[in-house]
Amino acid sequence: MNYISTRGGGDCLSAAGAIKQGIAHDGGLFMPEILPDLDSQDIAELCEISYPERAAYILSRFLTDYSWEELLEDCASAYSPERFVGGAAPIHKLSDNIFSLELWHGPTSAFKDMALQIMPKLLSRALKMTNETRLAYILVATSGDTGKAALEGYRDVPGVKIMVFYPVDGVSRVQKLQMATQTGDNVAVCAIRGNFDDAQNGVKEIFGDVEFGKQLEDRGVFLSSANSINWGRLVPQIVYYVSAYCDLINSGEIYAGEKINVTVPTGNFGNIFAAFLAKQMGLPINRLVCASNRNNILTDFLETGTYDRNREFYTTMSPSMDILISSNLERLLYTLGGSKLTTRLMKQLSTDGKYTIPADLKQAIDAHFTGLYCDEANTALEIKRTFCDDGYLVDTHTAVGLNCAKQYIEHNHDGLKMLVASTASPYKFASDVYKSITGSQPADELSALNELSELTKTEIPYPLSGIDKRAIRFDKVIDKVDMREALISTL
Ligand SMILES: *Cc1c(COP(=O)(O)O)cnc(C)c1O
């Protein structure tokens, strides 16, 4: 199966080529030329097998240049019970018609693990398949979660090295400890004096520095990114929607072929786009509810057809959804509107910061998506209500999703079961979760973990427990101008 650009440029690559290259030469994102289909027979067969086997099957339909044995081996180790304690993507039944799909049982307690545990293995194989002899150096600037998930994913993967830069005062204490104690022989972490933009701009400058690129080339190294627009991060996300559907059949909650609705707390539009792809392949999904926090640019877009990033940016307690440019939306525009239109709209976005889609594209999007949002007060209320009424503890992002799911159900009496993507462990955002339930602020972030555990009689997940007792491996703080030197010093 070939991969082409959403902007219609000449790139036409194998899956391995697309995963290695990351972004198309014309600035577009890679998409498969055709979507494989999933019929009722396929779903029936998937019901009978384990999560890693389901994952290998879905991946094999897209990554046709990878062998079945390779995919099965990689999926088995990525989604092993040691890495995903309690299952890869288990479902928790919240009420008669609402089900929480828990995507945070991986090594960093957030849903990014679902993709970042497998994608580095896919990249490593892509390097081999394309006869790459150079070392791939993954460069990441992070405001917290992605950096840790990338470190865990790329740790000890052959042919790859990873460096994560984070702003010294821009991440939480738990996040800092998570990264500073990272294990693995091919990993490095460095704090930057400044904020997240400084770290990100520093990384962007390095990617654009031709002279530095040559220096690395001489050492047999090329730079690569772990960015969420890479196809290798998107395709593993289709798996858990298909898997959840199978689990709902197996537990007798739905009959085979019954339609369900899906709600996804959304930032970059990657997770919900994966659900859309599952729907396009044939998974019986009725509507996709795109849940936003106070940064509700997508809610406005889905309602009006105008995407306008010229607006205030809010810092919320669901920081992974604090995004004004949802990169993966480009893939939706392409799928339903074609590459010519997508190219024009993306150009408008970069020059004017906004665009309006034509009526027929709006209608096509309306046929699948509903956009809703939840503000800060209601997010806190949802956490409290879900814990007190349903005995279920959710994080701030999942609470946004749950609230929007309930709004949808209130206004649309379609009687269908609702699957809500739960994207982080409540312990990942322990302070805000604790405060939402009790109304009082814990002493600090580390003690919040224990206080939340005592209050709710639930266990701190293994990636976060005892984090203050692990050995610090990386404590370097540098200036932005010294980032290149820091990289070179690891070679
Ligand atoms: C990344 C993230 C999201 C948003 O997912 P997108 O694919 O960017 O839409 C939601 N919740 C959590 C906890 C995340 O880490």
Side-chain angles (χ1 to χ4, degrees), residues 110-112 145-146 228 237 264-272 320-321 323 328 395 397 423-424 429:
F111 105 95
K112 302 281 189 295
D145 287 347
T146 303
S228 78
Q237 300 185 347
V264 185
T266 297
N268 218 359
F269 210 76
N271 201 0
I272 195 167
S320 300
M321 296 159 70
I323 284 175
N328 274 298
D395 91 294
H397 304 75
T423 51
F429 301 91

Side-chain angles (χ1 to χ4, degrees), residues 297 307-310 324-326 343-355:
I297 186 165
Y307 193 93
D308 188 354
R309 62 169 292 203
N310 305 302
L324 289 187
I325 296 208
S326 297
T343 309
R344 180 162 69 74
L345 297 175
M346 289 302 109
K347 206 169 195 174
Q348 264 174 23
L349 182 64
S350 76
T351 54
D352 309 338
K354 65 174 183 178
Y355 60 78

Side-chain angles (χ1 to χ4, degrees), residues 215-460:
Q215 270 184 53
L216 291 176
E217 190 76 48
D218 289 343
R219 293 167 181 261
V221 175
F222 74 101
L223 295 175
S224 184
S225 96
N227 211 296
S228 78
I229 54 184
N230 193 303
W231 179 253
R233 271 188 69 175
L234 200 64
V235 66
Q237 300 185 347
I238 300 171
V239 177
Y240 44 75
Y241 292 108
V242 178
S243 178
Y245 190 85
C246 292
D247 289 344
L248 287 174
I249 295 176
N250 285 347
S251 60
E253 297 292 349
I254 56 171
Y255 59 85
E258 182 173 338
K259 286 201 168 171
I260 61 168
N261 294 316
V262 176
T263 299
V264 185
T266 297
N268 218 359
F269 210 76
N271 201 0
I272 195 167
F273 186 70
F276 170 73
L277 286 179
K279 179 176 200 270
Q280 293 295 86
M281 289 171 74
L283 196 71
I285 294 176
N286 174 53
R287 285 202 82 74
L288 297 157
V289 178
C290 175
S292 301
N293 65 21
R294 196 179 172 203
N295 293 295
N296 56 356
I297 186 165
L298 285 167
T299 320
D300 288 348
F301 169 68
L302 290 169
E303 193 180 309
T304 65
T306 296
Y307 193 93
D308 188 354
R309 62 169 292 203
N310 305 302
R311 58 169 71 211
E312 201 164 337
F313 176 83
Y314 301 106
T315 302
T316 73
M317 59 176 142
S318 45
S320 300
M321 296 159 70
D322 291 343
I323 284 175
L324 289 187
I325 296 208
S326 297
S327 320
N328 274 298
L329 190 59
E330 178 169 349
R331 286 190 159 109
L332 180 70
L333 301 177
Y334 164 78
T335 305
L336 297 177
S339 62
K340 255 203 191 112
L341 179 61
T342 303
T343 309
R344 180 162 69 74
L345 297 175
M346 289 302 109
K347 206 169 195 174
Q348 264 174 23
L349 182 64
S350 76
T351 54
D352 309 338
K354 65 174 183 178
Y355 60 78
T356 299
I357 57 173
D360 54 344
L361 177 55
K362 171 143 193 333
Q363 209 173 8
I365 294 176
D366 281 347
H368 302 279
F369 290 88
T370 300
L372 294 166
Y373 80 98
C374 171
D375 64 18
E376 292 290 272
N378 279 308
T379 304
L381 211 59
E382 194 61 49
I383 291 171
K384 183 171 183 172
R385 198 184 308 157
T386 306
F387 179 69
C388 296
D389 297 353
D390 307 322
Y392 186 58
L393 195 59
V394 293
D395 91 294
T396 47
H397 304 75
T398 305
V400 168
L402 264 180
N403 183 278
C404 293
K406 289 178 185 171
Q407 288 181 49
Y408 175 86
I409 291 167
E410 204 178 297
H411 295 288
N412 303 270
H413 302 278
D414 57 22
L416 302 181
K417 303 280 194 311
M418 175 68 85
L419 185 71
V420 181
S422 173
T423 51
S425 157
Y427 283 91
K428 192 111 205 197
F429 301 91
S431 280
D432 283 321
V433 171
Y434 183 88
K435 193 173 162 209
S436 299
I437 296 172
T438 64
S440 62
Q441 187 82 44
D444 65 68
E445 231 199 308
L446 273 175
S447 61
L449 293 173
N450 293 321
E451 288 180 48
L452 186 63
S453 179
E454 273 163 36
L455 175 76
T456 62
K457 307 276 179 286
T458 57
E459 258 180 58
I460 303 174

Side-chain angles (χ1 to χ4, degrees), residues 46-47 49-58 239 243 246-247 250:
L46 288 169
C47 283
I49 57 181
S50 69
Y51 191 90
E53 290 167 319
R54 290 172 183 170
Y57 175 78
I58 299 293
V239 177
S243 178
C246 292
D247 289 344
N250 285 347

